[in-house]
Amino acid sequence: MNMTLKYPFLLLLLLLLLPLFWYWFGTRRSKFAALGISSISAFKGKRVGGRSLLIAVSKVLQLCAIGFLIVALARPQKTDYLSNSHILGTDIVLAMDISESMSNPDIDPTRFEAAKATALDFIRHRNQDNMGLVIFAGEALSIMPLTNDLIALQNAVNGVRMGSLANGTAIGDGLVSSINRVLNGKAKSKSIILLTDGTNNTGDVAPSTAADIAAQKGIKVYTIGIGLDSKSVYIDPYGLARTTIDTPIDEETLKEIARKTGGEYFRVKDSDTLEKVFKEIDQLEKTSMDVESYQRTQEAFMPWIIAALCCFGLVLIMRYTVLTKIP
């Protein structure tokens, strides 16, 4: 770790303290009336008054405060900063269906956009959890491994686009991909939130088989069936064609997945209902984890500001107590 200054040229302002020091201490004698005497033998052994010493201390504190503020203005920074923190958290993977039927506007603005917005809000409140992202349609793709970098995860969710995978609904493949991701986590509590609006109709792994794997690994799966009915309206990206697709939600399969893994199934017909899922996840058992984070630059001016405020505070206390002037 190295300490640097963002604006080192501002340290030149410290030179202004020299004339101020001279004004307060070098010219001190000329400010008072003088009385000439032939001998100082009568004053030998006498100590300097305590008030005079306190005045000098007050001036020194003021000089220090100004100096500390100048250093703070120069913006001290720690570079190549590596920190370790101890947190309580859980491992969560969000598995999102991005098949064509998710473009249905029966949930405003569409099922897909409502799911994204809710996921982003959920991520913003999980600052002590490791989260990952998997998307699936006719195939599954892991977008983001487990991370506590919420900004990167939010960017990943924002970057998800429909049509980026083969069409279809491979719930089993999406679940297996999510299991592979969450197994790498260190937390005792591991869970998957699987959101879909259809029925498994393609893929290499059956949903029941994937659920058995999750149960063996101690992973809870919270399944969400999203949509008002079984009819989905697919709108092409250019808004020129509307196709009605029969996409019944296989609630029995989703309930079976949740039951086998100790999770819960939710039927979502509006965006607000998803909050129930998030409240359930909030009750998960937390695990103590050591998190190592790396930051290129970290501001370090606050200690200097605190030191300056302490000096000014002491000056004010002295001025209105022991150094109070009587009219």
Side-chain angles (χ1 to χ4, degrees):
M1 179 183 64
N2 300 317
M3 184 71 72
T4 60
L5 297 173
K6 187 171 184 178
Y7 307 115
F9 60 89
L10 290 180
L11 292 184
L12 294 174
L13 294 175
L14 292 173
L15 296 176
L16 297 177
L17 296 179
L18 296 177
L20 190 59
F21 180 86
W22 175 254
Y23 175 76
W24 278 342
F25 295 100
T27 61
R28 183 178 177 83
R29 294 181 179 179
S30 61
K31 296 181 183 179
F32 302 97
L35 175 65
I37 57 177
S38 59
S39 174
I40 62 171
S41 58
F43 299 96
K44 286 184 178 181
K46 301 294 183 181
R47 296 181 178 180
V48 178
R51 183 180 178 83
S52 298
L53 182 60
L54 290 176
I55 291 175
V57 171
S58 174
K59 299 298 184 185
V60 171
L61 288 173
Q62 292 179 59
L63 289 173
C64 290
I66 296 172
F68 293 152
L69 285 178
I70 291 174
V71 175
L73 288 174
R75 293 281 295 278
Q77 296 177 331
K78 297 176 182 178
T79 58
D80 298 327
Y81 185 78
L82 188 65
S83 63
N84 291 282
S85 57
H86 198 64
I87 64 172
L88 293 175
T90 185
D91 295 330
I92 305 173
V93 169
L94 177 63
M96 293 182 59
D97 185 347
I98 64 166
S99 58
E100 289 180 348
S101 57
M102 288 290 288
S103 64
N104 194 324
D106 60 350
I107 294 182
D108 188 49
T110 66
R111 297 173 181 176
F112 176 68
E113 293 300 331
K116 280 182 62 174
T118 308
L120 288 170
D121 184 65
F122 178 61
I123 291 169
R124 276 191 288 269
H125 296 88
R126 310 302 299 182
N127 58 348
Q128 289 191 334
D129 294 326
N130 288 321
M131 293 193 66
L133 175 65
V134 169
I135 59 175
F136 65 93
E139 56 188 334
L141 178 65
S142 178
I143 298 295
M144 180 67 67
L146 288 176
T147 179
N148 60 357
D149 187 342
L150 300 187
I151 300 300
L153 188 59
Q154 288 172 351
N155 290 337
V157 173
N158 277 320
V160 174
R161 296 289 182 269
M162 293 186 60
S164 58
L165 298 177
N167 195 31
T169 306
I171 295 176
D173 288 6
L175 184 52
V176 167
S177 183
S178 301
I179 293 171
N180 290 334
R181 277 303 183 193
V182 79
L183 280 177
N184 295 324
K186 298 180 180 179
K188 180 179 179 181
S189 176
K190 302 181 186 297
S191 59
I192 296 171
I193 303 175
L194 188 145
L195 186 148
T196 182
D197 69 342
T199 301
N200 188 82
N201 54 27
T202 187
D204 299 323
V205 183
S208 59
T209 302
D212 290 336
I213 296 173
Q216 291 172 6
K217 302 296 183 180
I219 301 169
K220 290 184 178 180
V221 182
Y222 294 84
T223 54
I224 304 171
I226 186 170
L228 294 177
D229 53 42
S230 62
K231 299 293 184 182
S232 296
V233 179
Y234 169 65
I235 305 174
D236 69 50
Y238 303 100
L240 300 177
R242 299 170 65 91
T243 306
T244 301
I245 308 171
D246 188 17
T247 56
I249 299 175
D250 189 352
E251 292 193 279
E252 291 305 316
T253 295
L254 296 180
K255 289 178 180 178
E256 180 187 11
I257 293 172
R259 179 184 58 78
K260 283 184 175 182
T261 61
E264 189 172 346
Y265 168 70
F266 300 88
R267 179 63 190 273
V268 174
K269 296 184 178 181
D270 56 70
S271 300
D272 295 336
T273 308
L274 287 175
E275 294 182 5
K276 183 179 180 181
V277 181
F278 303 153
K279 291 180 180 179
E280 182 75 18
I281 297 296
D282 281 334
Q283 303 304 315
L284 291 174
E285 180 181 356
K286 303 291 185 178
T287 302
S288 179
M289 298 184 296
D290 291 318
V291 177
E292 188 177 80
S293 59
Y294 177 79
Q295 296 180 355
R296 181 71 178 174
T297 301
Q298 184 183 47
E299 298 292 345
F301 61 84
M302 188 56 66
W304 296 93
I305 292 180
I306 294 174
L309 291 176
C310 289
C311 289
F312 276 129
L314 288 173
V315 170
L316 290 176
I317 292 173
M318 295 173 65
R319 180 171 296 176
Y320 290 103
T321 54
V322 294
L323 296 180
T324 302
K325 294 182 179 179
I326 302 176

